[in-house]
Every structure is written in C-alpha cells, then in structure tokens.
C-alpha cells in the first residue's frame, strides 16, 4: 500500500541535526527537479524580502519564513515525519506508533511537497515554507514543474498494490495516477454525515485517524475494494464508487456523524 499525503502548512523547527543532503532523499529520480526549486527558492528569499513574501503568499506576520527559506542549505534537518505538524499529522501521531506500525509508515507514506516533490516520512529535511500553489519567477507554477518528473518516478514507487490518495487538490495536480495504477487508486473525502459537507479541520483529522488505523491494526488491503472492507471493519461508514471506465480511480466517501 502507498499512501499519498499532503504536507502541513505549519511545520516544526528544523532543530540542530546535520544539514540537508539532497542526494540522500528517497525517490532519487526527483533530485534534479528538487535542486531547481531549492536553488531558486533560496535565491529568492536571500534577496528582496517583500518580493519573496509576495511570491510565497506570506502575510506580514510570516515574514520570518523568508529568512528560514534563505538558510535552507545550512539549516538542521529532521525526519519529515517530525517536521510536518498540523491537524492530519497530530491525528496520525507517528511518534506514538509501535515499532511494527512505524515500519509500515516508513514503507507506505509519501508526503507531497512544493519544494521536495515527494518525500518519505524518514527522509531528513529542514523546516521550510513553499506550497505547491506557488509560482516562482523562473520555474513558474510548481504544480506544473513537478508533473513530468513525477510521471517518470511515481508509477514505479506505486508498485503493484493499492494507492490511497489523501492529497488536497493543489498537491494532486502534481501527479495524477493513470492507466492501471489509477484502477487501483482510491481517493477519499470525509463528509459530515448530516450535512454531506466537507469540513476542513474535521476532514484532515479523520484522514489522519484512518491512516493511523491502517498502520496500527495491520490490515493490508490489496486494492480499493479490499480497502473499503478494511475501513468498514475498522468501524468507518464508507460509500464507494468504482470507476466508470478503465484508467479512473475509485472514489470513497467516509461519513462521520460528529465533528471533532
């Protein structure tokens, strides 16, 4: 199983670990594309601060994020699973998983990123600020920048098993599973059952709990149909729509009564 996650906007501090080694990151086929984003982001943020804030969409209160980006090459690095915080990652709570579940997380979880493309939770990265929606002056829109390298790398990473896609729309734009990979991909929405609406905080928290349940309880669904059964066995109410034609993903709605 491969689980595709969005990053978090908020991130923990880089800490005092050794600086980033781009060549050490997983998915080495993305190295050149990562270096291109990193180089332009560092140059941008080392220059005109107001321009950098405008490009990155940062408020005055987030001015410090520009200096953080300018120092990315020398900042300490920590496992990505420690850097990403926020609602989904709080609910997932990687640090409290048992040893077996942590091994599953290391193999299964892939976090998408405007800066790195995609990283595993064990990859060591510094804290940064650069969403997939950013349009850099030189490279242009990051979603478009990542499509070609992602298309070359991700199908192999997906292997021949289930792909559970929990990304938000901006990050899903960087790679869309196609062909037979799409047929074993399941996208998930979390809906407040009485209103049939997506509630952002609630949606993220429930997705984190779903991933934690799959890692902790050890079900190993081989495809979307098996995933539906596994989630129902774990106590979730799931409505599933299988693809209307080949090359499309399954759509799963997880219905929850209470927003918490």
């Amino acid at each position: 199983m491969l689980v595709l996650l969005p990053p978090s906007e908020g991130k923990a501090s880089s800490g005092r670990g050794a600086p980033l080694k781009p060549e050490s990151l997983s998915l080495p086929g993305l190295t050149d594309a990562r270096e291109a984003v990193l180089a332009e982001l560092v140059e941008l943020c080392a220059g005109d601060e107001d321009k950098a804030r405008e490009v990155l969409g940062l408020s005055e209160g987030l001015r410090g994020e520009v200096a953080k980006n300018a120092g990315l090459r020398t900042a300490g690095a920590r496992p990505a699973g420690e850097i990403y915080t926020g609602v989904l990652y709080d609910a997932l709570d990687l640090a409290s998983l048992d040893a077996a579940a942590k091994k599953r997380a290391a193999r299964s979880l892939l976090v998408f990123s405007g800066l790195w493309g995609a990283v595993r939770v064990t990859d060591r990265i510094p804290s940064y600020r650069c969403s997939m929606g950013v349009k850099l002056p030189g490279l242009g829109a990051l979603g478009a920048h990542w499509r070609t390298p992602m298309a070359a790398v991700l199908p192999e990473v997906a292997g021949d098993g289930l792909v559970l896609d929990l990304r938000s729309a901006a990050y899903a734009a960087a790679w869309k599973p196609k062909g037979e990979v799409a047929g074993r991909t399941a996208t998930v929405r979390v809906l407040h059952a009485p209103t049939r609406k997506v509630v952002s905080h609630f949606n993220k928290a429930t997705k984190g709990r779903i991933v934690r349940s799959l890692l902790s309880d050890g079900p190993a669904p081989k495809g979307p149909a098996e995933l539906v059964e596994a989630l129902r066995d774990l106590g979730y109410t799931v409505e599933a729509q299988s693809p209307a034609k080949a090359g499309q993903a399954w759509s799963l709605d997880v219905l929850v009564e209470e927003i918490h």
Side-chain angles (χ1 to χ4, degrees), residues 39-132:
E40 184 169 354
L41 183 63
V42 169
E43 181 179 4
L44 171 71
C45 292
D48 186 323
E49 188 177 86
D50 289 331
K51 178 182 178 181
R53 283 202 302 115
E54 181 181 358
V55 170
L56 297 174
L58 301 177
S59 66
E60 173 67 29
L62 294 173
R63 185 176 288 270
E65 299 293 284
V66 175
K68 178 195 292 185
N69 283 347
L72 281 171
R73 292 194 184 276
T74 56
R78 298 167 60 185
E82 297 177 14
I83 290 289
Y84 293 114
T85 58
V87 176
L88 187 154
Y89 291 91
D90 286 347
L92 174 53
D93 196 7
L94 286 167
S96 69
L97 293 173
D98 63 30
K102 285 179 178 177
K103 287 182 179 179
R104 296 186 192 104
R107 292 193 306 266
S108 303
L109 305 187
L110 200 63
V111 184
F112 276 62
S113 162
L115 174 53
W116 313 116
V119 293
R120 298 197 183 275
V121 293
T122 50
D123 283 330
R124 298 180 64 82
I125 59 173
S127 185
Y128 67 96
R129 191 67 171 245
C130 184
S131 73
M132 191 66 79

Side-chain angles (χ1 to χ4, degrees), residues 3-42:
V3 182
L4 311 181
L5 297 174
S8 58
E9 189 169 276
K11 298 173 183 69
S13 63
S14 294
R16 298 180 180 179
L20 169 74
K21 294 182 178 180
E23 69 278 5
S24 72
L25 297 178
S26 302
L27 284 61
L30 299 179
T31 299
D32 289 346
R34 287 169 176 151
E35 182 57 41
V37 180
L38 179 62
E40 184 169 354
L41 183 63
V42 169

Side-chain angles (χ1 to χ4, degrees), residues 170-218:
Y171 292 91
W175 180 62
K176 182 178 180 180
K178 296 181 178 180
E180 63 89 19
V181 179
R184 46 188 169 84
T185 296
T187 62
V188 174
R189 295 190 306 174
V190 178
L191 303 180
H192 182 217
T195 63
R196 307 289 297 191
K197 292 182 179 180
V198 175
V199 181
S200 179
H201 181 284
F202 175 56
N203 172 59
K204 294 174 183 177
T206 303
K207 286 180 177 179
R209 294 187 191 105
I210 285 172
V211 176
R212 183 179 178 87
S213 294
L214 291 171
L215 295 172
S216 297
D217 294 300

